[in-house]
Amino acid sequence: MAAFQALKAVAFAAALLTVPVCAFAQAEDTPESIPDFPGRDETFGYCVGCHSMKVVGRQGMNRARWDETLTWMTDKHAMPAPDDEMRKVLLDYLEKAFPPEAPKQGGGWISPFAPQK
């Protein structure tokens, strides 16, 4: 019985290795699919590695909330921490492209675990 449980655990672990870490990323996302402001390519590169840009477009937050979200993504979801200069580029873009009053773009999912307004 113990051997069966061990085999089952190994099979489960092997199955997990075949699932992409960032299963929410969408193949149809391109930098051109989001608003054209300075920092678009850099922001796209940071975000699309783990989720669709539709997720980003659905948030609509002020700069402080975007900053909290970048910290949350780094601390809780292993996003590579941007240096100070890159963080400014990302925040400048997100603040301009997806402000609170902006209409929600795309049909992206809003994470119930993201920092709330």
Side-chain angles (χ1 to χ4, degrees):
M1 185 64 160
F4 175 72
Q5 292 297 338
L7 183 59
K8 197 161 95 173
V10 170
F12 180 72
L16 287 178
L17 293 175
T18 64
V19 176
V21 172
C22 299
F24 293 110
Q26 299 293 314
E28 70 271 4
D29 278 343
T30 64
E32 293 75 26
S33 68
I34 58 176
D36 186 12
F37 297 112
R40 176 175 72 178
D41 292 340
E42 294 86 347
T43 304
F44 180 85
Y46 262 86
C47 298
V48 80
C50 289
H51 52 73
S52 168
M53 289 307 295
K54 290 177 184 175
V55 171
V56 178
R58 294 272 308 144
Q59 304 313 308
M61 298 185 280
N62 64 29
R63 187 180 191 89
R65 296 272 299 119
W66 281 119
D67 193 40
E68 290 172 11
T69 301
L70 289 178
T71 298
W72 178 71
M73 295 301 296
T74 301
D75 292 348
K76 302 291 184 188
H77 298 285
M79 181 182 91
D83 62 25
D84 290 343
E85 184 179 330
M86 180 56 67
R87 191 175 190 96
K88 181 182 182 319
V89 168
L90 298 173
L91 289 171
D92 287 350
Y93 178 81
L94 292 166
E95 178 181 40
K96 188 162 191 156
F98 307 113
E101 64 277 1
K104 305 301 183 203
Q105 300 182 22
W109 174 73
I110 297 176
S111 171
F113 305 108
Q116 300 300 308
K117 294 179 184 179

